[in-house]
Amino acid sequence: MTVIPVIDLAPYSLSVPADHVDSKVLQGIADELCKAFTTVGFVYLKNHGIPQNIVEEVFSTSKTFFEKPVEVKQEYARPVDANHGWVSLEREKLNPERPAADLKEAYNMTVVDDQHLMPVDIIPNFYDVFKSLFTSAQELGNRVLDLMSIGLNIDRSFLRDCHKNVGKKDNQTTLRSLYYPRISKEVKPGQVRCGEHSDYGSITLLFQDDVGGLEVKPVGADYIPATPIPGTVLVNLGDLMQRWTADKLVATKHRVLIPKEEVMLSKGRQSIAFFIHPDDDVIIKCLDGSGKYEEISSIDYLNMRFAVTY
């Protein structure tokens, strides 16, 4: 049975200066990472350097927000023309082929210095808590992009440089807190918590709670559970990166179904995803020079994908 690899990032952890790591050690980690991205599309990173208490604070603060009445949360709703703010239950359908929308809510933070639509008036520490994790995840994301560049045998800073405006207005990288409420009403035919999909951007960093439920589909295999491993970050590849690498690396599908066990139906579930996108004006063209896909800007690709989801 295929398993999701666990990679020890301790030699390149956030606690280690980026330029103090032996190149052979980096090459070894990079090769492991890219191997995982050619088969499973997912990998667990342990000893990554993001303090667990920062993650737990976002879980806790988000839950406080999600438990507010709908009419309160509606004040902070995601506008049609932006990806920042609250996304209501059954607002999204990540698998357009399913007959019903997803049973989940979300809160998106895109620009790290923009407090627009943030519920700081009712949860004063909301912005600071989200910003703290956004900043740490951005730094870890850069390390992962470095390793991918090394594994792809291109200039080490190439991918990092294509994401230099993360946290600014001309980059769509998003910190998304997801909330799957307990199943307390009748589920519609074919409805799930999160429909089968692959992510849209470069890479995603996912922080899970201990409830579980995420399933991923490796290349040529059936869905397998992405069981939460305490203290790890689950990293997966996005569609745009698959296109960029001319399908050398793969963005595999994943989903969250409705639990079958009665005890699990009564449990809510949370996760936090950091969706990393290149800067808006970066032109995505096949890194191997094959021209397998037409060139497209990062922002045009994302808008094309959003048009199908909402």
Side-chain angles (χ1 to χ4, degrees), residues 47-59:
N47 299 319
H48 45 77
I50 295 181
Q52 187 61 26
N53 67 298
I54 292 178
V55 178
E56 295 299 332
E57 274 195 293
V58 176
F59 276 130

Side-chain angles (χ1 to χ4, degrees), residues 152 154 158-159 162 202 239-248 278-299 301:
L152 290 166
I154 57 178
F158 176 80
L159 289 176
C162 290
S202 300
D239 288 341
L240 182 141
M241 185 62 74
Q242 176 170 332
R243 182 183 181 117
W244 217 346
T245 63
D247 300 329
K248 180 176 183 178
D279 299 340
D280 290 353
D281 60 357
V282 169
I283 301 300
I284 307 304
K285 54 184 176 182
C286 296
L287 293 171
D288 63 359
S290 66
K292 186 173 185 178
Y293 294 100
E294 287 184 20
E295 296 180 12
I296 188 171
S297 71
S298 172
I299 188 63
Y301 184 80

Side-chain angles (χ1 to χ4, degrees), residues 131-143:
K131 180 175 180 177
S132 181
L133 183 56
F134 191 113
T135 303
S136 294
Q138 176 183 353
E139 192 176 344
L140 180 60
N142 279 334
R143 302 270 178 131

Side-chain angles (χ1 to χ4, degrees), residues 99-140:
D102 298 347
L103 274 174
K104 70 173 188 300
E105 295 179 40
Y107 183 89
N108 299 342
M109 176 183 181
T110 49
V111 183
V112 75
D113 291 321
D114 185 1
Q115 295 192 41
H116 178 58
L117 293 177
M118 300 201 82
V120 291
D121 51 336
I122 55 172
I123 307 174
N125 68 334
F126 194 95
Y127 169 75
D128 292 334
V129 166
F130 265 67
K131 180 175 180 177
S132 181
L133 183 56
F134 191 113
T135 303
S136 294
Q138 176 183 353
E139 192 176 344
L140 180 60

Side-chain angles (χ1 to χ4, degrees), residues 262-274:
E262 191 69 33
V263 66
M264 296 303 288
L265 290 171
S266 63
K267 283 189 174 183
R269 178 180 182 271
Q270 287 183 269
S271 62
I272 303 162
F274 190 63

Side-chain angles (χ1 to χ4, degrees), residues 29-309:
I29 300 173
D31 291 344
E32 275 189 272
L33 188 70
C34 285
K35 182 181 178 183
F37 286 156
T38 62
T39 53
V40 190
F42 280 75
V43 64
Y44 295 99
L45 298 182
K46 66 178 183 179
N47 299 319
H48 45 77
I50 295 181
Q52 187 61 26
N53 67 298
I54 292 178
V55 178
E56 295 299 332
E57 274 195 293
V58 176
F59 276 130
S60 174
T61 305
S62 299
K63 190 174 183 184
T64 299
F65 175 73
F66 288 125
E67 289 177 343
K68 299 288 185 186
V70 170
E71 56 269 23
V72 172
K73 292 181 285 191
Q74 190 62 43
E75 296 291 319
Y76 311 97
R78 173 191 184 272
V80 175
D81 60 349
N83 192 33
H84 189 101
W86 177 61
V87 178
S88 62
L89 196 68
E90 298 183 295
R91 175 70 180 87
E92 293 179 347
K93 188 196 288 190
L94 288 181
N95 181 356
E97 296 178 9
R98 282 197 173 268
D102 298 347
L103 274 174
K104 70 173 188 300
E105 295 179 40
Y107 183 89
N108 299 342
M109 176 183 181
T110 49
V111 183
V112 75
D113 291 321
D114 185 1
Q115 295 192 41
H116 178 58
L117 293 177
M118 300 201 82
V120 291
D121 51 336
I122 55 172
I123 307 174
N125 68 334
F126 194 95
Y127 169 75
D128 292 334
V129 166
F130 265 67
K131 180 175 180 177
S132 181
L133 183 56
F134 191 113
T135 303
S136 294
Q138 176 183 353
E139 192 176 344
L140 180 60
N142 279 334
R143 302 270 178 131
V144 175
L145 291 169
D146 289 346
L147 291 167
M148 290 173 65
S149 291
I150 294 168
L152 290 166
N153 199 30
I154 57 178
D155 186 80
R156 173 175 165 178
S157 67
F158 176 80
L159 289 176
R160 177 190 284 254
D161 289 346
C162 290
H163 298 75
K164 62 181 179 297
N165 291 323
V166 169
K168 299 177 183 176
K169 290 195 180 295
D170 48 0
N171 181 290
Q172 305 306 310
T173 294
T174 303
L175 180 63
R176 165 171 255 214
S177 181
L178 291 143
Y179 181 61
Y180 304 86
R182 57 190 286 272
I183 307 297
S184 58
K185 64 174 185 174
E186 190 172 326
V187 177
K188 296 171 185 172
Q191 192 168 40
V192 293
R193 278 179 157 170
C194 183
E196 297 82 358
H197 69 288
S198 48
D199 293 343
Y200 305 159
S202 300
I203 54 172
T204 303
L205 311 183
L206 184 72
F207 305 86
Q208 301 190 77
D209 66 7
D210 59 0
V211 174
L214 177 66
E215 297 179 346
V216 309
K217 192 179 188 308
V219 175
D222 202 357
Y223 281 92
I224 60 173
T227 306
I229 301 176
T232 63
V233 177
L234 188 61
V235 183
N236 65 284
L237 204 82
D239 288 341
L240 182 141
M241 185 62 74
Q242 176 170 332
R243 182 183 181 117
W244 217 346
T245 63
D247 300 329
K248 180 176 183 178
L249 306 183
V250 292
T252 48
K253 291 195 172 180
H254 44 289
R255 67 188 184 186
V256 182
L257 299 182
I258 304 294
K260 293 179 180 177
E261 304 85 0
E262 191 69 33
V263 66
M264 296 303 288
L265 290 171
S266 63
K267 283 189 174 183
R269 178 180 182 271
Q270 287 183 269
S271 62
I272 303 162
F274 190 63
F275 297 106
I276 299 177
H277 295 272
D279 299 340
D280 290 353
D281 60 357
V282 169
I283 301 300
I284 307 304
K285 54 184 176 182
C286 296
L287 293 171
D288 63 359
S290 66
K292 186 173 185 178
Y293 294 100
E294 287 184 20
E295 296 180 12
I296 188 171
S297 71
S298 172
I299 188 63
D300 285 347
Y301 184 80
L302 181 62
N303 287 335
M304 179 178 71
R305 294 301 308 272
F306 275 156
V308 181
T309 303

